[in-house]
Amino acid sequence: MLPYQPSAPAAPPRVATLDADAGRARALGQSLEDMGFTVRTALTVDGLANLVDEWQPHVVVIAEAAPGVLRAVRAASQTAQVVIVGDTPPDRRMLAAFSVHGWASRTDPTERLLMIVESAARRQREVAGLSQQRTGLQRILDICPRLNQLRTPGEFCLVAMEAFARTLDPLSTETSGIFAIQTHRPAQVQYFGSGRWARVTGELDLPDDVVDAISRGLSDKAAIVHGDGWVMVAANGGDHARGAMVIDGATVPVELDELCSVFGNVLGQALANIVLFDRATLDGLTGLFNRAFGLQRLLETLSLSARFPSSTAVLVIDVDHFKQVNDRYGHATGDRVLAGVAQTIRSCCRDTDIPIRLGGEEFLLVLPRTDETAAGVVAERLRRAVEGWRGAADGQVLRISVSVGVAAAEAGDRDALRLVERADDALYVAKRDGRNRVVRAG
């Protein structure tokens, strides 16, 4: 497990006391404060019950061992540790029934009572920490299936930040944070923000201490870093990806550092799965689906159209005179052209459409529930959008165009390769007739 940056010291334990003798209560309170405790005193049972209910102290010191007093304390808090001070030892069965931590005689030295209170405070923190960890682990287990179903880094980061904030605070309604992801290429770091950091695009938009924490997380130098009002949790996806999540407005007690590390390990595995899925399904240059995965999606679309009768159309798109671009301006410019065409194709897509890079300068766009006439309209809109695209090369404005072949399959037709061949034949006609045009297979 990665090392972590420990959190700031915990706040002083809270101690509530009950003693009808105001002078004695004052003296005990002063001794406890000198030991570093925060103390509040009640003089009546009702006053103690209200104090425990509203303040939720770590330890309750009472000068009476009556069952009614203990019952009132337990009704207000199940986790507070109870210490009894009295003249005679209380009944052991009563101590067990109300989970009393300890007893001290009034004749005992004050130091002994202080030691018992200190022991009770430690015990309360242990119990509370175990309870928080148990609850937090359950929330992590609950979110794991959803994290492993996500397929885009942006969606993953937003869900992860929201889940972590709610693991710390179930009542959290708005999350402000930043998630940095570094993939196998060392220079490639993406930032995904929410809340007040929603517009962050890089480290220049972040405070220096947050940038330093992110750098430590991405370089495996720290699993957790606590800042002034924020916490960073590293998500180590091994050789495939690394992440660093910073939640703003989060204060994590030291008892939950290990829980945060567990959450970070879960995030790292889910992040690695997303990156591996991307590499298996997406084209590295354009971000569109690759040929193998895209054609599989086409087969699935045709199967669905047979089950729920509807037409499926495809566009085969080819960049005109692309070889001349490569020969004249170089392959780096050619790559920029392909990326620009891919972005344009994506901008013309519906959420249900499937954009694919077939290879080289050729693309395929699958249009579910679309007939050939409607697909022709989409193709013409796409052609015009590409025609309006502008790039730069060697100080000159670069213009490009595409030719598009259109074909549609009726409901029940599951021959994906034949459908693509028909669109490709139409593309050949578009090229033959002068390029920069749309031709339907008919």
Side-chain angles (χ1 to χ4, degrees):
M1 185 174 291
L2 293 170
Y4 65 81
Q5 191 78 15
S7 58
R14 301 184 297 276
V15 179
T17 67
L18 170 67
D19 197 326
D21 187 323
R24 195 166 55 196
R26 227 177 1 256
L28 176 59
Q30 186 60 57
S31 297
L32 291 169
E33 288 178 350
D34 290 343
M35 288 284 293
F37 296 103
T38 300
V39 183
R40 293 185 184 178
T41 300
L43 302 178
T44 66
V45 175
D46 289 342
L48 178 66
N50 291 332
L51 177 61
V52 173
D53 183 51
E54 296 175 3
W55 195 40
Q56 289 297 307
H58 301 93
V59 183
V60 179
V61 181
I62 59 178
E64 297 182 42
V69 179
L70 295 172
R71 194 173 292 112
V73 171
R74 280 289 166 248
S77 173
Q78 292 294 316
T79 60
Q81 299 296 303
V82 177
V83 176
I84 297 174
V85 181
D87 296 320
T88 58
D91 182 79
R92 288 185 177 275
R93 288 173 299 180
M94 184 177 67
L95 295 179
F98 293 102
S99 302
V100 175
H101 179 79
W103 173 82
S105 172
R106 291 192 193 283
T107 61
D108 287 340
T110 304
E111 287 74 13
R112 183 175 186 279
L113 173 59
L114 296 177
M115 289 176 61
I116 295 174
V117 173
E118 193 171 32
S119 170
R122 285 199 300 270
R123 176 60 179 164
Q124 196 281 337
R125 287 194 182 279
E126 290 172 0
V127 171
L130 287 173
S131 176
Q132 284 180 301
Q133 288 194 13
R134 186 163 52 248
T135 302
L137 285 171
Q138 185 57 55
R139 293 197 187 107
I140 291 173
L141 290 174
D142 291 342
I143 194 63
C144 279
R146 186 180 178 194
L147 288 174
N148 288 320
Q149 289 172 357
L150 301 176
R151 287 293 176 261
T152 64
E155 186 181 15
F156 165 80
C157 291
L158 294 178
V159 170
M161 288 188 286
E162 178 184 347
F164 182 71
R166 290 192 175 179
T167 297
L168 298 177
D169 179 9
L171 300 179
S172 174
T173 57
E174 184 176 354
T175 305
S176 183
I178 189 75
F179 206 126
I181 293 179
Q182 184 178 58
T183 57
H184 62 293
R185 284 173 281 189
Q188 184 179 354
V189 178
Q190 293 177 284
Y191 293 85
F192 302 90
S194 65
R196 76 183 183 96
W197 285 343
R199 297 182 181 276
V200 170
T201 58
E203 61 181 40
L204 295 179
D205 301 324
L206 294 168
D208 291 342
D209 54 348
V210 173
V211 172
D212 180 67
I214 289 174
S215 176
R216 295 182 55 145
L218 294 178
S219 60
D220 290 347
K221 293 181 179 178
I224 303 172
V225 176
H226 297 266
D228 184 11
W230 53 264
V231 62
M232 186 285 296
V233 177
N236 186 352
D239 295 334
H240 306 296
R242 293 184 176 89
M245 176 178 65
V246 179
I247 301 298
D248 188 32
T251 302
V252 180
V254 65
E255 294 87 354
L256 297 185
D257 277 355
E258 188 171 356
L259 177 65
C260 292
S261 292
V262 171
F263 195 88
N265 291 336
V266 170
L267 292 182
Q269 184 59 56
L271 179 59
N273 290 340
I274 288 175
V275 171
L276 289 173
F277 178 81
D278 279 357
R279 293 180 189 173
T281 61
L282 300 183
D283 174 64
L285 174 63
T286 64
L288 304 184
F289 291 121
N290 60 33
R291 181 187 183 93
F293 186 75
L295 291 177
Q296 180 61 40
R297 289 289 305 274
L298 173 57
L299 284 171
E300 293 170 1
T301 302
L302 291 174
S303 296
L304 283 174
S305 70
R307 186 175 179 184
F308 304 99
S310 62
S311 298
T312 299
V314 297
L315 314 182
V316 176
I317 306 154
D318 188 86
V319 181
D320 296 330
H321 303 297
F322 182 72
K323 185 177 183 302
Q324 295 179 14
V325 174
N326 273 338
D327 291 345
R328 181 174 180 180
Y329 300 109
H331 290 281
T333 299
D335 287 348
R336 289 198 299 273
V337 167
L338 294 176
V341 171
Q343 184 177 3
T344 304
I345 292 173
R346 196 181 290 109
S347 70
C348 295
C349 286
R350 302 167 298 182
D351 290 341
T352 54
D353 296 339
I354 305 169
I356 305 160
R357 183 185 180 193
L358 288 176
E361 67 271 27
E362 198 167 60
F363 301 87
L364 175 68
L365 180 58
V366 180
L367 305 173
R369 299 187 300 279
T370 306
D371 60 23
E372 189 171 291
T373 301
V377 174
V378 174
E380 181 58 25
R381 184 169 67 244
L382 189 154
R383 184 197 66 78
R384 290 180 181 177
V386 173
E387 193 175 34
W389 181 88
R390 295 292 181 269
D394 295 342
Q396 300 179 14
V397 175
L398 187 61
R399 296 178 174 84
I400 56 172
S401 64
V402 292
S403 300
V404 186
V406 182
E410 295 305 320
D413 186 351
R414 300 189 182 188
D415 192 339
L417 293 180
R418 178 57 188 152
L419 177 61
V420 175
E421 285 176 1
R422 289 175 56 220
D424 200 47
D425 290 342
L427 171 66
Y428 174 78
V429 175
K431 290 283 192 182
R432 184 195 63 193
D433 291 349
R435 295 182 171 83
N436 191 21
R437 66 191 62 221
V438 173
V439 173
R440 290 163 44 186

